[in-house]
Amino acid sequence: MVMAIPRKLVALGDSGVLGWGDPLEGGWCERLRRHWMELPGGPVLYNLGVRGDGLERLAARLSAEVGCRGELRRQLPQGILLGIGLNDTARVGRPDGRPQLDAEGFLFGLQQLLHKAKEIAAVHVIGLTPVEESAMPYAGVLWYSLADIRRYEALLEEACLEANVPFLPLLEGLLADSDWPLWLSNDGLHLNNEGHRRVFERVRSWPALLDWADLQLRQEPTSLGY
């Protein structure tokens, strides 16, 4: 009997992908990895989040990181999941300081990144998470704001539409719940255990990712049995 080769997904991003802020469950990406491990034929997920990463640093490591995550005669992974952009929005030194990567440079770099990533594997992109502005500055020097995060998430969506890449917005859906500040760590930036759980629930039920993983028909039945 020939065993089916599981699909492989490489998740690239910043501390949100890494799972920082969630010492109990390891973050939304780790939860997704464990969830897929329990499913017959579930994909193998590699978490390659790096704290502090922005778009430019992620782009610089894309090919090397993805290229060495193959199995069985150097087979390349079949999917890439990107979670990036929050650190690029941060303004340096003061609330009206320069962002770490301005909007024009972010959009251009993202367009180039998506083009490069699509040559390697199927690509999916998730949106950005909120911050508590009253807790800023982060680390005494970086100022994050909801207005800037909203603007950069819109750029993520624009680039994904242009590149025909599935995009999962997160910001407005999280902000719609008045309890969202409770989903952040004390630093006002990183998701806590509950915040990561909220993102995990959205990612694991994302139709585009389920279609890629061939899991659309394997979801848990409803209380009515269908």
Side-chain angles (χ1 to χ4, degrees):
M1 180 178 177
V2 179
M3 294 184 59
I5 301 173
R7 300 184 183 193
K8 287 166 284 294
L9 180 71
V10 173
L12 292 158
D14 51 29
S15 56
V17 172
L18 178 64
W20 197 258
D22 182 9
L24 299 178
E25 300 291 340
W28 66 261
C29 193
E30 173 63 13
R31 293 172 193 235
L32 184 63
R33 185 186 72 84
R34 295 177 184 175
H35 171 64
W36 280 354
M37 284 181 65
E38 297 176 348
L39 302 178
V44 175
L45 175 56
Y46 295 96
N47 183 339
L48 304 181
V50 174
R51 288 190 67 193
D53 252 15
L55 181 67
E56 293 177 332
R57 288 180 58 182
L58 186 150
R61 64 186 176 95
L62 172 71
S63 296
E65 293 272 44
V66 176
C68 66
R69 259 67 187 190
E71 300 173 17
L72 303 177
R73 299 182 181 178
R74 301 184 180 180
Q75 178 190 27
L76 284 173
Q78 289 76 34
I80 298 171
L81 176 61
L82 300 176
I84 199 68
L86 189 61
N87 290 320
D88 295 299
T89 73
R91 295 181 180 270
V92 181
R94 59 178 191 265
D96 61 347
R98 61 173 179 81
Q100 297 209 86
L101 181 61
D102 64 52
E104 182 178 346
F106 180 76
L107 179 58
F108 177 78
L110 183 60
Q111 291 168 332
Q112 299 302 306
L113 174 64
L114 293 179
H115 176 76
K116 184 177 180 181
K118 286 180 65 177
E119 293 181 339
I120 302 173
V123 181
H124 293 73
V125 179
I126 66 170
L128 306 180
T129 53
V131 298
E132 180 56 73
E133 295 177 341
S134 63
M136 297 300 119
Y138 176 73
V141 69
L142 297 177
W143 298 81
Y144 292 81
S145 74
L146 291 175
D148 286 332
I149 294 170
R150 185 173 283 111
R151 182 183 183 190
Y152 278 60
E153 188 179 75
L155 294 175
L156 281 167
E157 184 169 17
E158 177 184 339
C160 288
L161 285 171
E162 179 184 275
N164 194 28
V165 166
F167 175 69
L168 177 65
L170 293 176
L171 183 62
E172 297 304 332
L174 294 172
L175 290 175
D177 192 312
S178 60
D179 287 337
W180 71 264
L182 301 177
W183 307 340
L184 296 173
S185 301
N186 292 335
D187 61 20
L189 174 62
H190 296 99
L191 298 172
N192 60 20
N193 176 267
E194 180 62 17
H196 277 284
R197 186 187 72 80
R198 299 279 177 159
V199 172
F200 162 66
E201 294 295 341
R202 287 165 170 77
V203 175
R204 80 160 178 170
S205 60
W206 184 14
L209 192 61
L210 288 172
D211 286 343
W212 171 86
D214 193 25
L215 295 174
Q216 191 69 58
L217 300 178
R218 303 178 188 174
Q219 295 306 290
E220 299 172 0
T222 66
S223 59
L224 297 178
Y226 57 82

